[in-house]
Amino acid sequence: MKIAFAKIGRPKKGAVVASVLEGGKLSPTAAALDKENGGLIGKAIAASRFTGKAHQSLTVFTPAGRVLLYGLGDPTKLDPQWAEAAGGGIYAALASSGEKEAAVVMDRDDAGCAERAAHVALGAVLRSYRFDKYRTTMKKEDRPTLEKLTFMVKDHAEAKKLYDVEAAIAEGVAFTRDLVSEPPNVLYPESFAEHCVALKKLGVDVEVLGEKEMAKLGMGALLGVGQGSRRESKMVVMRWNGGAKGDQPVAFVGKGVCFDTGGISIKPAGGMEDMKFDMGGAGVVSGLMKALAGRKAKANVIGVIGLVENMPDGNAQRPSDVVTSMSGQTIEIINTDAEGRLVLADALWYTQDKYKPAFMVDLATLTGAMMVSLGEETCGYFANDDKLSDALKAAGDAVAEPMWRMPLGDAYNKQMDSDIADMKNAGPRWGGAITAACFLERFVDKTPWIHMDIAGVAWSRKDRSTTPKGASGFGVRALDRLVRDYVEKA
């Protein structure tokens, strides 16, 4: 969908979106429309339940065309999160209306009007995402009609400038959503790596390691997961060098299990189709790197993703196997379905050993236990550094990607001890998300580190304000904000 900005005025074609304050007070544009149409706007409001509360909407048909009234609610609470939700709501109300164009008239004249317009536009673009490439029989009437949204705002040039930055981040979110949405016969380690190589066009340095290179590095944990698949495992290293030369980089590491059958510890058939998005962590890291490059972030950032398939053929690893990780630590395989932590173990060690980052954040659709704890609304995370933890929480709050810090500790960590190796890859039933994080902590040393378990938030089972049903892209915006506030402003 095309986004444009223009000075305040009366649009010449398409639908008009005008605002109404809580209590039914019309904006100047809504009031003018009401007067021109003999009080039609006021009569429509009186005959409905629309009161102007935040994110309420009401469609009114006038002789000149469609008018969408949108509720502002309390004018003192029009922050960026409100604006993005408003953009999503406006798009949802108009997407399949039959209108090809619409103009959003933002005639509140205050200091934040340009920023607000940029965020309303961002919300609309995020909500407009669709993944229809495999739908060949969809009827025309079932497709969205809205092709262009124009935002009419006092300082339209400033609004466009601000939006251009947010648009780059939206493209990163869309890239993540595309990757997570693809079926596993299309997206597998090699093809995933090819998508990342395409980021070179934006200035990202990309290196792809194959199984021979990883074997030389001693990555027995990662390679063990993929040995049951006919698809070769890969590791992709993406580098954005936007900071000063010599500045210590920061790093993001993603689990990329392109399909997870569970291996020999095979999963039940019901719901296994969801395991196409077990590469969600790698998808977020890839989308983040695209966003950072797109907005020319002034930071040095490393993105590392481990890409495997976990399949149950005759060469697959078995429960009771012992593998040696790149760190030299040995791991007893208790459950081959606890595979993501094995991929991350070698990816984390490689990242800290080679690049010496100021901090690392890993992301993974790691455990069902996290979904039991926090459902599908909030991302649980673990941290070994309070300052970094606080910064991530603040970043998530700023972009409406809620986070909740979970505990670590020796009592949990000891539950991962093995009788015959340095550790085992699965602990007891209780506290499974915590013991998984403790396993990862053993591959971090003293580097400030966060583990984000995005199992519950990588995929949305319903439409949300700025996220249509499907792949959410959760994490791209929060981590971009973390880089902005914690690295670039440092």
Side-chain angles (χ1 to χ4, degrees):
M1 184 179 63
K2 185 177 180 181
I3 296 292
F5 294 87
K7 63 182 180 180
I8 295 176
R10 293 298 297 275
K12 296 179 180 179
K13 58 181 178 178
V16 179
V17 182
S19 57
V20 179
L21 287 166
E22 189 166 357
K25 183 179 179 181
L26 304 180
S27 66
T29 297
L33 288 167
D34 187 48
K35 184 176 180 180
E36 291 171 14
N37 291 281
L40 181 60
I41 301 293
K43 291 174 183 177
I45 292 174
S48 71
R49 293 183 175 180
F50 179 84
T51 63
K53 287 184 178 179
H55 308 306
Q56 281 187 323
S57 65
L58 176 67
T59 297
V60 181
F61 292 96
T62 74
R66 181 190 303 263
V67 174
L68 177 68
L69 302 176
Y70 199 83
L72 294 183
D74 183 347
T76 66
K77 297 181 179 179
L78 306 184
D79 59 14
Q81 289 189 21
W82 175 91
E84 289 162 15
I90 290 167
Y91 176 81
L94 293 172
S96 300
S97 65
E99 301 282 356
K100 289 187 176 181
E101 294 187 27
V104 182
V105 185
M106 304 185 66
D107 45 12
R108 283 187 62 80
D109 183 8
D110 59 14
C113 61
E115 181 183 17
R116 191 178 307 122
H119 282 279
V120 176
L122 172 63
V125 168
L126 290 172
R127 181 61 183 270
S128 71
Y129 175 85
R130 292 175 67 86
F131 190 81
D132 289 342
K133 64 186 290 187
Y134 299 112
R135 296 189 175 189
T136 64
T137 60
M138 181 180 288
K139 296 178 181 178
K140 184 177 180 180
E141 58 266 29
D142 293 330
R143 297 183 182 275
T145 59
L146 191 64
E147 298 174 354
K148 181 179 180 181
L149 265 180
T150 299
F151 293 86
M152 295 183 161
V153 59
K154 180 183 177 182
D155 196 348
H156 58 92
E158 178 65 14
K160 184 182 186 305
K161 181 180 177 181
L162 293 170
Y163 172 72
D164 286 345
V165 175
E166 301 299 337
I169 300 164
E171 288 180 6
V173 173
F175 186 53
T176 295
R177 290 175 175 176
D178 284 347
L179 291 169
V180 175
S181 298
E182 287 284 5
N185 61 318
V186 174
L187 191 81
Y188 43 87
E190 184 177 10
S191 61
F192 194 140
E194 290 171 356
H195 283 287
C196 296
V197 169
L199 297 180
K200 287 182 177 181
K201 291 182 289 187
L202 294 176
V204 180
D205 293 333
V206 183
E207 179 185 8
V208 180
L209 281 65
E211 290 183 351
K212 289 183 179 179
E213 292 90 344
M214 289 188 283
K216 288 180 180 178
L217 291 167
M219 294 185 179
L222 184 154
L223 292 172
V225 176
Q227 71 186 41
S229 173
R230 69 180 183 87
R231 308 279 196 188
E232 183 181 358
S233 298
K234 302 285 184 181
M235 177 175 284
V236 181
V237 181
M238 296 165 278
R239 289 170 288 174
W240 170 251
N241 299 311
K245 187 176 181 180
D247 278 0
Q248 192 175 13
V250 298
F252 299 91
V253 181
K255 168 191 170 183
V257 180
C258 297
F259 194 77
D260 181 20
T261 66
I264 296 299
S265 307
I266 197 163
K267 295 175 180 289
M272 194 190 287
E273 67 275 9
D274 288 348
M275 291 300 98
K276 74 173 188 175
F277 60 78
D278 207 20
M279 39 58 66
V284 173
V285 171
S286 303
L288 173 65
M289 297 305 293
K290 181 169 186 175
L292 294 172
R295 71 171 181 82
K296 306 299 181 187
K298 292 179 173 59
N300 296 329
V301 183
I302 310 293
V304 176
I305 55 175
L307 304 174
V308 301
E309 281 187 339
N310 189 21
M311 302 294 284
D313 88 340
N315 194 48
Q317 70 179 358
R318 299 152 292 242
S320 77
D321 281 0
V322 174
V323 297
T324 302
S325 68
M326 183 182 175
S327 71
Q329 298 176 93
T330 57
I331 306 163
E332 180 188 9
I333 307 302
I334 300 297
N335 185 336
T336 64
D337 194 24
E339 85 299 330
R341 63 200 68 181
L342 299 172
V343 174
L344 287 173
D346 279 339
L348 284 166
W349 191 269
Y350 171 85
T351 302
Q352 72 167 9
D353 184 60
K354 182 166 185 176
Y355 295 105
K356 308 295 189 294
F359 67 77
M360 293 192 297
V361 177
D362 79 69
L363 300 96
T365 50
L366 204 65
T367 67
M370 184 56 75
M371 298 177 70
V372 173
S373 297
L374 297 178
E376 298 176 316
E377 310 298 325
T378 303
C379 171
Y381 74 94
F382 304 79
N384 67 359
D385 183 274
D386 291 341
K387 187 177 179 181
L388 180 61
S389 171
D390 292 344
L392 177 66
K393 179 68 166 58
D397 288 345
V399 299
E401 291 187 343
M403 315 270 186
W404 189 262
R405 187 176 183 178
M406 302 287 285
L408 293 165
D410 289 342
Y412 295 108
N413 199 301
K414 289 177 182 178
Q415 295 176 38
M416 300 305 291
D417 290 344
S418 164
D419 291 336
I420 67 164
D422 295 326
M423 70 194 81
K424 53 190 178 182
N425 78 322
R429 178 182 180 186
W430 312 116
I434 304 173
T435 53
C438 289
F439 176 93
L440 296 176
E441 190 180 22
R442 297 186 181 206
F443 299 89
V444 173
D445 279 349
K446 296 180 180 180
T447 303
W449 159 78
I450 283 177
H451 161 57
M452 293 172 59
D453 192 331
I454 61 172
V457 294
W459 191 269
S460 180
R461 301 184 191 279
K462 61 182 180 181
D463 288 335
R464 300 174 187 269
S465 60
T466 59
T467 305
K469 181 180 178 181
S472 69
F474 185 107
V476 174
R477 295 187 63 209
L479 295 178
D480 173 81
R481 189 62 177 256
L482 178 68
V483 172
R484 284 200 220 188
D485 293 347
Y486 195 67
V487 180
E488 293 178 86
K489 293 181 180 178

